[in-house]
């Protein structure tokens, strides 16, 4: 019996050894697509980057490499894009079903404001559903409710979005309501005063969310002297003095057709979408009234502490400069983010994860959680990590993360890059689950890079990232660089000095 058991165990071990050896072999020799644009020099302007995305060389490479892609990626419906007579773009992707999502993506956010007007874009978003010249606030609510739909709006640093989710038969009605909101809002003084109080209460709500506070501080120091460092809500003083005239001026200046994208996904007829949009948005100006591209921001290495005894833990965000969304190195940074990874104590695991950072945090009890991020804007970005933990371990936690960044510049391996690419692909596909997510992807990409990157193209661009490319980009951005550090919570003398943190960007051979 013992001999039989031993034979079974030997057979099982042999199977697993063969299986994992085969996996390692495949990962090591997997063919990698090479797209020309990834080897190009870093573009100096936004327009150059857009051209690099749309170059014929890239299109040729995509056509040549498409045979290596899974069939489900090649069968994804294409995104149809047309331009109306007033220069507004209309884009859609068909997806079988009974519902659809449609929305307006506007190239206007807090990064396009100045010190006096900071907060106007967000204030205007609050005024969107308070009534128009054609509908009262109650009528807007009833129309959406009777359709069984959902209407929403949000403001970010670089765009403002109004969207709706409805049945396919109600798409024209939803477009009409969206058009009415952005072109005919009442903006009554009574509503302005009411929403002023709502926004001030919202500000208190945001200030109670430590992660929001940390990232606002991180932006303010990393992008000093640039509107990209402003908060989305704006300072309290601005909110208290914004008047109806400020909102009217903002609409007439920024809500113009060339700076808008009407994006839709789901059970959409593009020809009908175009006809409806041509009629509904005919009142928009076709002029670009201001230079709506802000001045390029500079990344400033610096540190800010906010001591708060009411917060028992230390919340820290540390970041280095990274590439913008239109930069050829964008996908390389995404792969590096996947290599560094994220971990949370409440989820368990970590000790057997491929991420060295996650394994270190799990085994050495460095923090409650660590989350890597790569926040990208038009022409610049921030690559970093958000750490939550006890003050005694904060220094070690930051050191482990930054040591990993510098390691990528020297010893990033083919195996870990291939694993990270697979995780990134899965994440990209899961983010496109649902019509609203697809419409969001279409609208955002048309505003930032000028066209829609299909899932197939995204996969090929991810495949084009090699370990050598990771080492090259990490060496350029991470080695001997000035980090931006923001910390909030129960701080003490245990928190490391800025010069010490900066020293961790230097590569020390052991």
């Amino acid at each position: 019996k013992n001999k039989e058991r031993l034979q079974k165990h030997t057979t099982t071990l042999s199977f697993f050894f063969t299986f994992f050896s085969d996996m390692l072999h495949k990962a090591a020799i997997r063919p990698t697509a090479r797209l020309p644009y990834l080897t190009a020099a870093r573009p100096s302007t936004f327009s150059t980057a857009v051209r690099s995305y749309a170059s014929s060389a890239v299109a040729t490479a995509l056509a040549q490499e498409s045979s290596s892609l899974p069939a489900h990626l090649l069968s994804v419906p294409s995104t149809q894009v047309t331009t109306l007579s007033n220069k507004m773009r209309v884009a859609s992707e068909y997806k079988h079903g009974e519902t659809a999502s449609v929305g307006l993506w506007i190239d206007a956010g807090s990064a396009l404001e100045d010190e006096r007007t900071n907060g106007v874009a967000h204030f205007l978003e609050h005024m969107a559903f308070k009534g128009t010249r054609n509908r009262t606030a109650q009528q807007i609510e009833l129309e959406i409710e009777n359709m069984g739909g959902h209407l929403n709006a949000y403001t970010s640093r670089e765009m403002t979005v109004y969207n709706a989710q409805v049945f396919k038969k109600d798409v024209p009605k939803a477009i009409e309501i969206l058009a009415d909101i952005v072109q005919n809002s009442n903006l009554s003084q009574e509503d302005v005063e009411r929403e002023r109080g709502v926004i001030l209460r919202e500000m208190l709500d945001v200030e109670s969310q430590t992660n929001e506070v940390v990232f606002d501080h991180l932006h303010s120091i990393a992008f000093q002297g640039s509107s990209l460092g402003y908060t989305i809500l704006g300072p309290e003083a601005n909110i208290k003095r914004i008047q109806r005239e400020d909102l009217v001026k903002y609409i007439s200046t920024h809500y113009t057709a060339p700076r808008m994208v009407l994006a839709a996904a789901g059970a959409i007829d593009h020809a009908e979408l175009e006809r409806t949009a041509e009629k509904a948005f005919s009142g928009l100006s076709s002029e670009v009234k201001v230079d709506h591209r802000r001045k390029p921001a500079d990344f400033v290495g610096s540190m800010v502490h906010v001591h708060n005894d009411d917060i028992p833990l230390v919340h820290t965000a540390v970041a280095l400069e990274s590439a913008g969304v239109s930069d050829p190195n964008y996908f390389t940074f995404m792969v590096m983010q996947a290599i560094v990874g994220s971990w949370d104590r409440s989820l368990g695991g970590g000790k057997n994860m491929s991420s060295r950072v996650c394994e270190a945090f799990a085994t050495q009890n460095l923090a409650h959680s660590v989350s890597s991020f790569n926040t990208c804007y038009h022409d610049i970005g921030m690559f970093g990590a958000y750490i939550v933990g006890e003050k005694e371990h904060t220094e070690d936690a930051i050191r482990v993360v930054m040591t990993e960044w510098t390691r990528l510049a020297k010893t990033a391996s083919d195996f870990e890059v291939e694993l990270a690419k697979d995780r990134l692909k899965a994440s990209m596909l899961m983010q496109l689950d649902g019509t609203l997510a697809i419409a969001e992807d279409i609208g955002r990409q048309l505003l930032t890079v000028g066209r829609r990157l299909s899932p197939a193209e995204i996969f090929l661009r991810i495949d084009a990232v090699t370990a050598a490319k990771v080492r090259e980009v990490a060496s350029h951005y991470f080695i001997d660089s000035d980090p931006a550090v923001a910390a909030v919570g129960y701080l003490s003398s245990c928190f490391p000095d800025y010069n010490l943190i900066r020293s961790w960007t230097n590569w020390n051979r052991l």
Side-chain angles (χ1 to χ4, degrees), residues 119-134:
V120 172
H122 178 259
F123 203 118
L124 187 57
E125 173 221 314
H126 271 256
M127 298 294 296
F129 309 131
K130 300 305 173 185
T132 69
R133 291 192 290 271
N134 303 313

Side-chain angles (χ1 to χ4, degrees), residues 1-13:
K1 288 183 179 180
N2 289 335
K3 287 183 179 179
E4 290 176 359
R5 288 173 184 170
L6 181 61
Q7 186 176 5
K8 287 181 181 179
H9 288 315
T10 304
T11 305
T12 303
L13 288 172

Side-chain angles (χ1 to χ4, degrees), residues 7 23 91 114 125 137 156 164 181 188 193 196 205 211 219 222 268 300 302 358 366 416 436 465-466 474 483 490 499:
Q7 186 176 5
M23 278 181 57
D114 55 38
E125 173 221 314
S156 69
I181 286 171
S188 69
E193 295 302 327
R196 194 190 313 280
D205 217 23
N211 62 323
H219 279 79
I268 295 290
V300 181
S302 47
C358 295
L366 295 178
E416 64 182 329
L436 183 59
V465 178
T466 62
Y490 192 67
N499 291 324

Side-chain angles (χ1 to χ4, degrees), residues 297-343:
D298 292 321
F299 189 91
V300 181
S302 47
M303 183 161 71
V304 61
H305 290 167
V306 179
H307 187 85
N308 188 339
D309 291 339
D310 294 331
I311 301 175
L313 301 174
V314 177
H315 296 248
T316 308
V318 56
L320 295 171
E321 180 181 354
S322 71
V325 70
S326 56
D327 192 288
N329 293 321
Y330 170 76
F331 284 103
T332 306
F333 275 101
M334 296 297 287
V335 170
M336 289 194 289
Q337 180 189 353
I339 292 174
V340 177
S342 299
W343 174 82

Side-chain angles (χ1 to χ4, degrees), residues 89 97 110 116 120 166 250 333 354 375-376 379 385 415 434 452 465:
R89 286 166 292 175
S110 61
R116 192 190 67 81
V120 172
V166 294
Y250 189 90
F333 275 101
S354 60
T375 304
C376 295
D379 55 356
F415 180 67
R452 172 84 190 289
V465 178

Side-chain angles (χ1 to χ4, degrees), residues 288-305:
V288 178
K289 298 183 179 180
V290 293
D291 181 9
H292 61 289
R293 290 289 176 208
R294 58 173 172 76
K295 294 179 180 179
D298 292 321
F299 189 91
V300 181
S302 47
M303 183 161 71
V304 61
H305 290 167

Side-chain angles (χ1 to χ4, degrees), residues 108-181:
S110 61
L112 302 178
E113 299 169 339
D114 55 38
E115 287 187 20
R116 192 190 67 81
T117 62
N118 182 209
V120 172
H122 178 259
F123 203 118
L124 187 57
E125 173 221 314
H126 271 256
M127 298 294 296
F129 309 131
K130 300 305 173 185
T132 69
R133 291 192 290 271
N134 303 313
R135 294 174 172 86
T136 64
Q138 185 180 14
Q139 287 174 326
I140 293 174
E141 185 178 340
L142 283 174
E143 285 189 55
I144 294 296
E145 287 282 343
N146 291 339
M147 288 190 289
H150 179 71
L151 192 64
N152 193 25
Y154 68 85
T155 308
S156 69
R157 282 182 165 83
E158 290 193 322
M159 63 184 68
T160 303
V161 179
Y162 302 91
N163 58 52
Q165 295 173 272
V166 294
F167 285 110
K168 61 181 182 181
K169 65 181 179 63
D170 296 317
V171 169
K173 190 69 173 177
I175 294 174
E176 182 192 338
I177 293 174
L178 291 172
D180 195 22
I181 286 171

